[in-house]
Amino acid sequence: MKKTKKTRNKPLNINDITIIDDGKLKKAITAAALGNAMEWFDFGVYGFLAYILGQVFFPDASPSVQMIAALATFSVPFLVRPLGGVVFGILGDKFGRQKVLSVTIIIMAISTFCIGLIPSYAAIGIWAPILLLLAKLAQGFSIGGEYSGAAIFVAEYSPDRKRGFMGSWLDFGSIAGFLLGAGFVVLLSSLLGEARLHDWGWRIPFFLALPLGFIGLYLRHALEETPAFQQHVDNLEKNEKINSDHQPKVSLKEIATKYWKSLAVCVGLVIVTNVTYYMLLTYMPSYLSHNLHYSADHGLLIIIAIMVGMLFVQPAIGLLSDKIGRKPFVIGGSIGLLLFTYPAFIMINSDMVGFIFLGLLVLAILLNCFIGVMASILPAIFPTNVRYSALAISFNISVLVAGATPTAIAWLVETTGNLYMPAFYLMVVAVIGIVTGLKMKETANKPLRGATPAASDRSEAKQILSEHYDNIEQKVEDIEQQLKELEKKRQDLIDQHPKLD
């Protein structure tokens, strides 16, 4: 291979700063958030229908085992998510984010739709749970590239000073999708009644995935590639290292050894966020109805009210993180989880509606601290050329732990008989969050790693350029001061040696 001479860094000028088109940014957020909403629509429906799905697909088991089996079917697909992350991550770094996200959303839509088509155990026996598992595995494979790609898509389209606010809309889509799923289950239950919901009504929410998927495909297919990835490809072509059809490969081993600190931060943040997420939004409905014997309808309404509140808090945290940084929310949310989870579960177990609501509200606010900043942190800690691969792999390996949360907690509560096991579980996870928050670097108001700055307009670009120069000047002054101090130390040492005068 021919070696190239190392050149000096060129001064940054106004034309080097990417100006983000506001219309394209809004379309990118809508397209990305819709896929995430569809993913969590299924999670919401599955979580709120878990007791019915247990009866439909595992009728010979006891009610407790039915619940655990249904939640286990929810958790098993997480085993294939890392594989999906590897495949779609590599494809995303090679061919672009837009193309891969168009593929993941259609696989997710078709597999979710197929769940509604599966006959019951009474009709086809053991093939019913097997087909359910296969559909969930297909979901897991596609989701392996979905969230990571969507977060990258939004981050690479966002101006540096608004990345927290823009990224927060991705998980706004998650909450909205979950809320839509849960609300739809409540609506069906009230319209159809328990008997018809059990017989055939539970299939209807899964059928909605197909039209939603085609809408998402249309929106994503109409978008251009992200500015950051296109800039990366253009730079490769300019340097004549590679053409547009064949990009240099970075091995998974190289990613693991070179970016292990970023991978560790990703793993820690995803674990604390998603364990809290699945605990509150997937497990708690079953916990309220099955373990606390609370009215299923009342439990659903309380959690739906909590999620509506989360929708308003979510973008506010993203916006605030652009002002004060992301780290305060990760550290503060983790400390809050450690200190307030047990009191929250005392209120949840009080059998009083007001206290149950307050306990769930505490968990929801702490969850908002994480999901409000996660989508803006994760893409920023990896460089463009390996961003999709590194994020998708580390994200989905972490989700292996988080995805087991509903099953693990259901088993722990059933085995120990201790209704506070969910609180202890979250407190252990909180420690991981605290360590992660302390170790991570601040990413707010900074360019994505390896990318040039991005601004909303030319006026903002001028401000960024001015601050960039001010920062350089300050660093030069600091270095000059350090040199003076070193020169003084050098002279002091020379004065102490007779032969160095």
Side-chain angles (χ1 to χ4, degrees):
M1 181 182 289
K2 184 179 178 180
K3 293 184 179 180
T4 56
K5 293 183 179 179
K6 189 175 181 179
T7 58
R8 296 177 63 186
N9 292 328
K10 294 181 180 179
L12 185 71
N13 62 63
I14 192 71
N15 294 323
D16 293 325
I17 298 176
T18 304
I19 306 298
I20 303 297
D21 182 88
D22 190 57
K24 292 180 180 178
L25 173 60
K26 290 178 180 177
K27 290 179 181 178
I29 292 171
T30 303
L34 181 61
N36 221 35
M38 196 172 76
E39 173 190 347
W40 282 93
F41 175 84
D42 172 68
F43 286 170
V45 168
Y46 202 92
F48 282 79
L49 290 176
Y51 71 101
I52 290 181
L53 295 175
Q55 295 167 12
V56 171
F57 292 103
F58 309 97
D60 295 333
S62 67
S64 296
V65 174
Q66 285 178 353
M67 179 66 66
I68 294 173
L71 292 174
T73 308
F74 168 86
S75 299
V76 167
F78 288 87
L79 296 173
V80 300
R81 284 183 64 155
L83 177 61
V86 171
V87 173
F88 291 121
I90 292 172
L91 292 175
D93 282 334
K94 182 176 182 180
F95 298 110
R97 295 39 168 136
Q98 183 261 353
K99 294 181 179 66
V100 170
L101 284 174
S102 296
V103 174
T104 58
I105 195 169
I106 201 65
I107 295 176
M108 188 163 56
I110 292 173
S111 58
T112 303
F113 176 80
C114 287
I115 292 176
L117 297 175
I118 301 172
S120 67
Y121 187 95
I124 60 173
I126 192 64
W127 282 104
I130 290 175
L131 290 174
L132 175 63
L133 182 60
L134 290 174
K136 295 298 290 182
L137 288 172
Q139 275 186 339
F141 184 76
S142 64
I143 292 170
E146 173 62 33
Y147 182 86
S148 304
I152 290 169
F153 202 75
V154 172
E156 292 186 344
Y157 252 114
S158 299
D160 297 337
R161 295 183 175 184
K162 297 180 180 178
R163 188 165 292 116
F165 179 62
M166 299 305 174
S168 68
W169 290 100
L170 187 62
D171 281 294
F172 181 95
S174 301
I175 303 169
F178 200 100
L179 183 60
L180 182 62
F184 196 63
V185 170
V186 173
L187 179 63
L188 283 176
S189 180
S190 62
L191 291 177
L192 301 179
E194 187 71 20
R196 280 182 287 184
L197 183 67
H198 184 281
D199 288 341
W200 53 267
W202 65 268
R203 301 179 185 276
I204 297 175
F206 296 105
F207 289 151
L208 289 178
L210 199 60
L212 288 174
F214 281 115
I215 293 171
L217 178 64
Y218 170 77
L219 292 173
R220 291 182 178 186
H221 186 70
L223 284 170
E224 298 177 5
E225 189 51 78
T226 67
F229 184 79
Q230 191 58 53
Q231 182 187 71
H232 168 64
V233 174
D234 292 343
N235 289 338
L236 290 174
E237 292 176 347
K238 286 179 183 177
N239 294 334
E240 297 182 350
K241 291 180 179 177
I242 195 157
N243 59 47
S244 59
D245 296 321
H246 178 66
Q247 295 184 29
K249 296 180 180 178
V250 179
S251 68
L252 299 181
K253 181 180 179 181
E254 184 178 347
I255 291 175
T257 53
K258 190 173 182 180
Y259 304 107
W260 67 270
K261 290 183 180 179
S262 297
L263 292 171
V265 168
C266 178
V267 168
L269 185 57
V270 172
I271 286 176
V272 68
T273 302
N274 282 37
V275 166
T276 310
Y277 212 137
Y278 295 140
M279 180 76 76
L280 178 63
L281 301 185
T282 301
Y283 175 70
M284 287 309 295
S286 301
Y287 179 79
L288 289 173
S289 60
H290 179 72
N291 296 106
L292 302 185
H293 309 292
Y294 192 70
S295 168
D297 290 340
H298 286 138
L300 291 176
L301 291 174
I302 289 175
I303 292 179
I304 287 172
I306 293 291
M307 287 190 290
V308 171
M310 290 176 67
L311 286 176
F312 292 97
V313 176
Q314 177 72 7
I317 287 180
L319 180 64
L320 192 57
S321 76
D322 285 325
K323 308 298 182 184
I324 66 173
R326 328 285 194 222
K327 289 188 65 163
F329 288 101
V330 177
I331 296 172
S334 299
I335 293 174
L337 204 61
L338 182 63
L339 297 179
F340 301 123
T341 295
Y342 191 79
F345 270 87
I346 291 176
M347 290 188 283
I348 291 170
N349 280 268
S350 67
D351 200 29
M352 298 175 64
V353 175
F355 283 118
I356 292 173
F357 181 85
L358 285 176
L360 293 171
L361 182 63
V362 169
L363 297 179
I365 292 172
L366 295 173
L367 174 58
N368 269 128
C369 289
F370 303 128
I371 61 175
V373 297
M374 185 170 71
S376 55
I377 293 173
L378 298 183
I381 61 179
F382 298 106
T384 307
N385 65 316
V386 298
R387 183 170 292 134
Y388 208 148
S389 302
L391 179 52
I393 294 168
S394 55
F395 182 91
N396 289 291
I397 288 175
S398 314
V399 168
L400 278 175
V401 177
T405 297
T407 308
I409 293 300
W411 179 81
L412 285 171
V413 172
E414 193 68 27
T415 302
T416 64
N418 189 337
L419 294 176
Y420 290 94
M421 289 306 296
F424 301 141
Y425 198 93
L426 285 177
M427 291 167 71
V428 171
V429 169
V431 176
I432 297 174
I434 293 171
V435 174
T436 301
L438 293 173
K439 293 293 183 181
M440 65 175 279
K441 293 181 180 179
E442 184 58 72
T443 61
N445 298 310
K446 295 178 181 178
L448 292 173
R449 190 169 173 182
T452 57
S456 301
D457 50 43
R458 194 168 180 84
S459 174
E460 187 177 282
K462 290 179 179 178
Q463 293 178 10
I464 290 175
L465 189 63
S466 176
E467 291 174 4
H468 174 73
Y469 289 151
D470 290 342
N471 187 42
I472 290 176
E473 290 171 6
Q474 183 61 52
K475 288 182 177 178
V476 170
E477 290 179 4
D478 292 342
I479 291 172
E480 288 176 347
Q481 182 63 36
Q482 290 172 12
L483 288 173
K484 288 179 181 178
E485 292 174 358
L486 288 172
E487 179 60 32
K488 184 177 182 300
K489 289 181 179 179
R490 174 180 176 276
Q491 189 59 50
D492 288 343
L493 292 172
I494 289 174
D495 293 341
Q496 297 173 36
H497 197 294
K499 295 183 179 180
L500 293 179
D501 190 7

